[in-house]
């Protein structure tokens, strides 16, 4: 079992910054790729950014150059630095963690944290 708890959401004006964090606990040695997803009411969750075990990162085109994803293995924390925020960045941000296939695969989600960017 893995538990994911997000923090750092809030309200900010356009052009501002927010930092999100996702603290993992439990069987953290089983974790593989981790990422951040955003959901707007009535729409499916969409990928914002993800980081693979080798440190490679992948970003949605809409956030490239503005967001940075990173992972601190020692602290079991996944972070998302968000700069130059736009109203369209608003939504509930979820942390997602894949379990390495050698440990059976699967995935876990956090409970989400709200980000609101006003114009």
């Amino acid at each position: 079992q893995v538990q994911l708890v997000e923090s750092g959401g809030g309200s900010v004006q356009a052009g501002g910054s927010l930092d999100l964090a996702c603290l993992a606990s439990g069987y953290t040695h089983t974790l593989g790729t981790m990422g951040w997803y955003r959901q707007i009411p009535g729409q499916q969750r969409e990928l914002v950014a993800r980081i693979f075990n080798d440190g490679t990162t992948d970003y949605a085109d809409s956030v490239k150059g503005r967001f940075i994803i990173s992972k601190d293995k020692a602290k079991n924390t996944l972070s998302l630095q968000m700069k130059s925020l736009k109203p369209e960045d608003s939504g509930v941000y979820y942390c997602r963690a894949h379990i390495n296939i050698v440990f059976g695969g699967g995935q876990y989600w956090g409970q989400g944290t709200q980000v609101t960017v006003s114009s």
Side-chain angles (χ1 to χ4, degrees), residues 20 33-37 47-52 55-59 63 66-72 77-82 94-96:
L20 304 183
T33 301
M34 297 185 71
W36 289 96
Y37 289 71
L47 174 69
V48 175
R50 59 185 171 181
I51 185 166
F52 299 92
T56 303
T57 57
D58 184 29
Y59 296 90
V63 307
R66 299 187 297 121
F67 291 13
I68 298 175
I69 189 171
S70 61
K71 185 167 63 173
D72 186 330
T77 300
L78 179 73
S79 299
L80 185 68
Q81 298 176 53
M82 306 187 294
Y94 295 90
C95 175
R96 180 188 191 186

Side-chain angles (χ1 to χ4, degrees), residues 6 61 108:
E6 300 100 334
D61 287 344
Y108 290 91

Side-chain angles (χ1 to χ4, degrees), residues 5-12 16-23 36 77-82 85 91-93 95 111-117:
V5 178
E6 300 100 334
S7 61
S11 297
V12 65
S17 301
L18 280 175
D19 292 338
L20 304 183
C22 173
L23 177 63
W36 289 96
T77 300
L78 179 73
S79 299
L80 185 68
Q81 298 176 53
M82 306 187 294
L85 283 161
V92 179
Y93 282 68
C95 175
Q111 83 288 351
T113 185
Q114 178 72 46
V115 170
T116 302
V117 184

